[in-house]
Every structure is written in C-alpha cells, then in structure tokens.
Amino acid sequence: MNTIYKEKALERISIANWQVENNKIKTLGSTLYFALFNYMQYILGEAPQGKWKHIGILKPFLKACITKNCFDRLTLRKLSNAYEDLYQYRVKADYSNEEFTEKEKRELISLFELLKEVIK
C-alpha cells in the first residue's frame, strides 16, 4: 500500500479538525471528501488505468474492504453513504456561492467524526 495516500488522508483530517474547532465550515465538505478519497486510494493501491476516477472508486473500495476484512458491513454502509453525501457537499463547497445550512453543518460534523475514526 502506498502510504502517501494515507498521509494525505490524515493531513486532511487534521485540517478538518481545525475547521470544525474554529467554525470554518465553508470548505469542510471538500476537505472531508478528499480525505475519504485519499483513504480509498490508500486501501486500493494502484489504479487500473493509472489514476482513480471519483465516480468509479467507491465500488472497488467496498469490494477491497470486504476482501481484506477492513471494516464491518455497517461501517462500510456508512462509508458508502458518506462518500455519496460528501461528493455533493464538495460540489457545493467548491463550486457554489451558497453557504451550508445549519442542518448541513451538523451533517458535515457528523461525517467528520466518522472519518476521524476510520482514517486513524
């Protein structure tokens, strides 16, 4: 496994922690999305065509985690849902001039707590 991807994921979780502690939530969706994406790259290793695509990484990640017995099925379901949710939050964080609602902020902080436990 390429540890650079795990180091990136951990660095992004550290940045997310700072964002949460300092109520700097505007880009948290993007930070968390890429933390999870980098973690998936770490688990999967080399991509079949040289690089992982955002749309095609979730299924191989889940299959690899089941094969390697990385997580229980409930955690995998949570990670699958988190990835899909964070993709949408990333789009809003990176490409929109809208702020997250209070509900979305709570959801992002909940996703942060999940990823903080998974990517340790």
Side-chain angles (χ1 to χ4, degrees):
M1 287 188 202
N2 187 333
T3 59
I4 295 295
Y5 288 125
K6 184 160 186 191
E7 291 169 14
K8 286 181 179 186
L10 289 168
E11 185 173 303
R12 290 180 197 275
I13 287 298
S14 177
I15 292 166
N17 188 66
W18 177 87
Q19 288 178 277
V20 169
E21 286 178 353
N22 292 282
N23 198 31
K24 303 292 186 184
I25 308 297
K26 288 180 178 62
T27 60
L28 182 60
S30 185
T31 305
L32 292 174
Y33 172 81
F34 281 106
L36 183 52
F37 186 79
N38 289 148
Y39 186 73
M40 291 174 159
Q41 290 173 303
Y42 163 70
I43 294 293
L44 288 167
E46 290 302 314
Q49 282 86 31
K51 72 177 192 173
W52 289 105
K53 296 182 180 174
H54 296 274
I55 211 122
I57 197 169
L58 181 59
K59 189 174 180 179
F61 170 75
L62 295 173
K63 184 177 179 182
C65 285
I66 290 168
T67 302
K68 297 175 184 180
N69 199 28
C70 299
F71 302 105
D72 59 67
R73 298 237 181 214
L74 177 60
T75 302
L76 288 176
R77 189 173 309 116
K78 287 179 183 178
L79 288 172
S80 177
N81 292 337
Y83 186 76
E84 292 172 5
D85 291 345
L86 285 169
Y87 184 82
Q88 296 305 316
Y89 285 131
R90 180 193 75 87
V91 170
K92 188 170 184 176
D94 291 344
Y95 302 109
S96 170
N97 65 353
E98 298 176 35
E99 294 205 27
F100 290 118
T101 65
E102 290 304 314
K103 180 182 180 214
E104 289 172 327
K105 289 177 184 178
R106 287 189 302 274
E107 289 173 359
L108 283 166
I109 291 169
S110 178
L111 291 168
F112 163 68
E113 294 298 332
L114 170 66
L115 295 185
K116 185 170 64 169
E117 288 303 310
V118 167
I119 306 173
K120 53 183 174 179

